[in-house]
Amino acid sequence: MFVDTHTHFYDEWLLPDAEEAVRRAIEAGVGKMIQADVDSRERPAMWEIGERHPGVLFQMLGLYPGSVGADWREELDQVFALAKGTTNAGAFVAIGEIGLDYHEGLEFAEEQKEVLRLQLELASALNLPVNIHLRDAWEDFFAILSDCAHLHLRGNLHCFTSSYEIYERARRYGDFSVGIGGVVTFKNASVAKAVERIPIEKILLETDAPYLAPVPYRGKRNESAYLPLIGRKVADIKGLPLQEIETMTTHNAESLFGI
């Protein structure tokens, strides 16, 4: 069995076909899938589909950096309320996806940093792992990790496409794994060099569906059913049998997220 550690069945691109997509994933050997939270606008759909597939779909809770705007305090208050059980949150297995994303501009950069700090503190208080989204913001992220070293964080760097050296820097501040997705299958993907060196014990598999579909589906809608294609590429890079990658990454996911 494979575990998809980051997917979005509730995304508008995938939601109309979500039930069939879950079925196809299970048939492909992907027995557990974790949905990353984004914000209050999409969260109800995430919970709804998750509740229809207990033991198969698991949920995170968090405010995505791209959703940090003028209403960030209200959005974050809802996350904290759910975390404290004041509304019907149900079970969640991580605080995520949270982080920093400067790709679209820096208008809310300071607010993103504050939201990230507060959610890292929340994860530590709840003894939950974090699922980190980063884009064009590594140095600010490391500065925050340095300030939060006392929190003894654990979690994963979602959609990791950076270098082994970046992975090593993150490890100085917490027990971080990396989420390897469809990008690793792209021609000349630089992350392959990092995958060669990162211990298999610290590698998770993910699709980020419906985005970043692996080859041969690149440019099309992604699905959790395509996760074994990512596993096969990691197996090729590592020079290991696919079954070993399947066993190890599943163990890694189940241990980190408690699923």
Side-chain angles (χ1 to χ4, degrees):
M1 181 188 70
F2 288 96
V3 176
D4 186 350
T5 59
H6 195 112
T7 188
H8 303 263
F9 283 101
Y10 58 89
D11 185 276
E12 63 180 2
W13 196 13
L14 187 53
L15 184 60
D17 192 32
E19 290 298 319
E20 285 300 302
V22 172
R23 179 187 61 78
R24 287 190 292 269
I26 293 171
E27 290 178 351
V30 184
K32 296 179 181 180
M33 294 153 267
I34 306 176
Q35 298 192 94
D37 193 14
V38 174
D39 56 38
S40 65
R41 290 172 285 276
E42 299 194 50
R43 190 173 298 129
M46 180 185 74
W47 290 122
E48 182 179 354
I49 188 171
E51 289 170 356
R52 292 201 298 269
H53 298 277
V56 175
L57 296 187
F58 301 84
Q59 280 63 249
M60 302 184 201
L61 175 68
L63 180 58
Y64 169 68
S67 296
V68 174
D71 63 345
W72 71 271
R73 290 187 183 274
E74 178 183 344
E75 283 285 339
L76 195 60
D77 283 347
Q78 292 188 46
V79 170
F80 273 74
L82 288 164
K84 294 175 181 176
T86 56
T87 58
N88 59 340
F92 48 91
V93 300
I95 301 300
E97 62 186 290
I98 63 175
L100 303 172
D101 191 329
Y102 298 165
H103 187 70
E104 299 297 332
L106 301 175
E107 180 181 2
F108 291 101
E110 293 304 314
E111 290 84 354
Q112 284 191 30
K113 288 188 281 188
E114 179 67 10
V115 168
L116 174 58
R117 288 177 189 272
L118 291 170
Q119 291 186 106
L120 292 177
E121 292 173 0
L122 176 63
S124 179
L126 296 175
N127 191 28
L128 285 173
V130 293
N131 181 266
I132 301 294
H133 169 107
L134 283 173
R135 202 171 183 191
D136 301 336
W138 280 106
E139 292 307 320
D140 278 358
F141 175 63
F142 285 132
I144 292 172
L145 282 189
S146 179
D147 291 344
C148 295
H150 64 286
L151 297 178
H152 306 292
L153 297 166
R154 71 186 194 280
N156 74 305
L157 305 174
H158 148 63
C159 194
F160 188 78
T161 58
S162 196
S163 66
Y164 178 79
E165 289 72 24
I166 288 290
Y167 159 77
E168 281 283 278
R169 285 184 68 184
R171 293 278 298 167
R172 298 174 196 168
Y173 304 110
D175 186 8
F176 286 103
S177 300
V178 297
I180 302 300
V183 173
V184 76
T185 70
F186 297 175
K187 186 177 181 180
N188 300 320
S190 60
V191 70
K193 295 180 180 178
V195 171
E196 286 180 1
R197 300 179 65 187
I198 296 172
I200 187 60
E201 293 81 7
K202 293 300 177 184
I203 291 178
L204 304 170
L205 301 181
E206 62 169 66
T207 60
D208 199 17
Y211 308 102
L212 297 174
V215 173
Y217 301 103
R218 184 177 182 180
K220 299 179 181 179
R221 191 187 73 175
N222 200 3
E223 295 191 11
S224 290
Y226 301 157
L227 192 71
L229 296 171
I230 299 166
R232 185 173 300 281
K233 182 63 177 183
V234 171
D236 291 344
I237 293 169
K238 287 291 193 183
L240 295 171
L242 177 59
Q243 185 175 3
E244 186 170 345
I245 297 299
E246 179 181 0
T247 299
M248 288 297 300
T249 58
T250 293
H251 171 77
N252 298 344
E254 290 179 333
S255 298
L256 177 60
F257 296 107
I259 60 176

